[in-house]
Amino acid sequence: MESVPVRCPACRRDHAYVTPIYPCPCGEPTAPPLLRGAPVVPITHRTWNDDWVTVRCRGCGRHDQWPQPELCCPCGAVLRVPVRPVASAGAVRPAHIPLPRTAAAPRPAFRPLTIRTARDAVAAAALYLTWLGFEDVTHPVNRPASRIDLRASGLIAEVDSTTRPTALRDVECLWLNALNGSVRGVLFSLAGYTPEARKRADTLRMPLFVLDLTGTPQPVNGAADELVSTGA
């Protein structure tokens, strides 16, 4: 375990901070690499982006979001411990790497549904979720105000069949709907995603898929790869 000396700027008390270790999905113990010599920062208010850092697994090269290291000083100050940027931790992996399939039983080949209309896109996504193992996938006759196109046990999904890349707002709205329902959110898009949408989805661990006109969804981020690998 990596340890660094930390001095609280509020009370000047010295600490030896030991970075926490988390298991990567590949099984390798992984920890945020601490930045030695950098001053700690007192936390006065929190934001989602500041509470998470990108960490690269030394075993499989995968990038994931991990909790930002923090230290609670006895004086009451909460200190953010700096970490090395992921670019300096080693070679950067591609945008996503398919994981070995770990579903309980091998799935048959997916049989896509050709997409000609927006309704076909929703039906193709429903078929795919069923293929992944989600039960009782349903979709409303009329799209609700929440823009949820599909529901299944423990899951809601939105299918963006427009010709514009899916935007950041779509990712955040789906995430909030999923959070309120204590379920997982999954996004399907015909035109792909804006860079901002992909970045936020990676932060939120939301699976993103792109639908081609043959009706075959393709995972475009690590969370989607994991979903394909493990199934429902």
Side-chain angles (χ1 to χ4, degrees):
M1 293 184 292
E2 186 177 7
S3 174
V4 295
V6 171
R7 172 167 289 181
C8 175
C11 68
R12 314 303 294 175
R13 188 190 303 257
D14 290 322
H15 304 273
Y17 178 78
V18 179
T19 183
I21 296 176
Y22 305 95
C24 175
C26 75
E28 183 77 10
T30 305
L34 302 182
L35 188 60
R36 291 180 175 275
V40 296
V41 179
I43 299 174
T44 56
H45 69 279
R46 293 186 178 275
T47 65
W48 179 272
N49 287 336
D50 289 340
D51 285 344
W52 300 86
V53 294
T54 302
V55 177
R56 178 178 181 270
C57 174
R58 295 182 180 181
C60 66
R62 164 188 194 82
H63 289 179
D64 266 319
Q65 295 293 307
W66 302 96
Q68 164 71 49
E70 296 178 0
L71 172 68
C72 295
C73 182
C75 75
V78 181
L79 310 174
R80 181 176 292 122
V81 183
V83 301
R84 291 200 306 272
V86 71
S88 66
V92 178
R93 71 177 183 95
H96 69 286
I97 299 175
L99 300 177
R101 182 169 293 173
T102 57
R107 293 188 292 265
F110 175 65
R111 300 180 65 180
L113 171 70
T114 301
I115 297 175
R116 297 183 178 88
T117 67
R119 193 98 184 132
D120 289 340
V122 175
L127 281 176
Y128 191 73
L129 292 174
T130 300
W131 177 75
L132 287 176
F134 290 96
E135 298 180 355
D136 303 323
V137 179
T138 60
H139 51 92
V141 175
N142 298 312
R143 198 182 202 199
S146 64
R147 303 181 67 184
I148 301 305
D149 294 293
L150 298 167
R151 294 182 181 273
S153 179
L155 175 138
I156 58 175
E158 181 182 333
V159 182
D160 186 355
S161 57
T162 66
T163 57
R164 296 185 302 273
T166 301
L168 169 64
R169 183 175 181 276
D170 295 286
V171 171
E172 292 180 332
C173 288
L174 179 60
W175 177 75
L176 287 172
N177 277 310
L179 185 66
N180 289 335
S182 299
V183 295
R184 176 187 297 180
V186 180
L187 253 175
F188 295 86
S189 175
L190 279 175
Y193 302 87
T194 64
E196 296 80 10
R198 289 192 58 170
K199 182 177 179 180
R200 184 56 57 87
D202 288 341
T203 301
L204 300 175
R205 303 298 302 150
M206 176 182 291
L208 301 181
F209 292 89
V210 168
L211 281 162
D212 60 30
L213 294 182
T214 68
T216 304
Q218 298 294 335
V220 297
N221 65 351
D225 282 325
E226 290 181 25
L227 183 57
V228 174
S229 173
T230 61

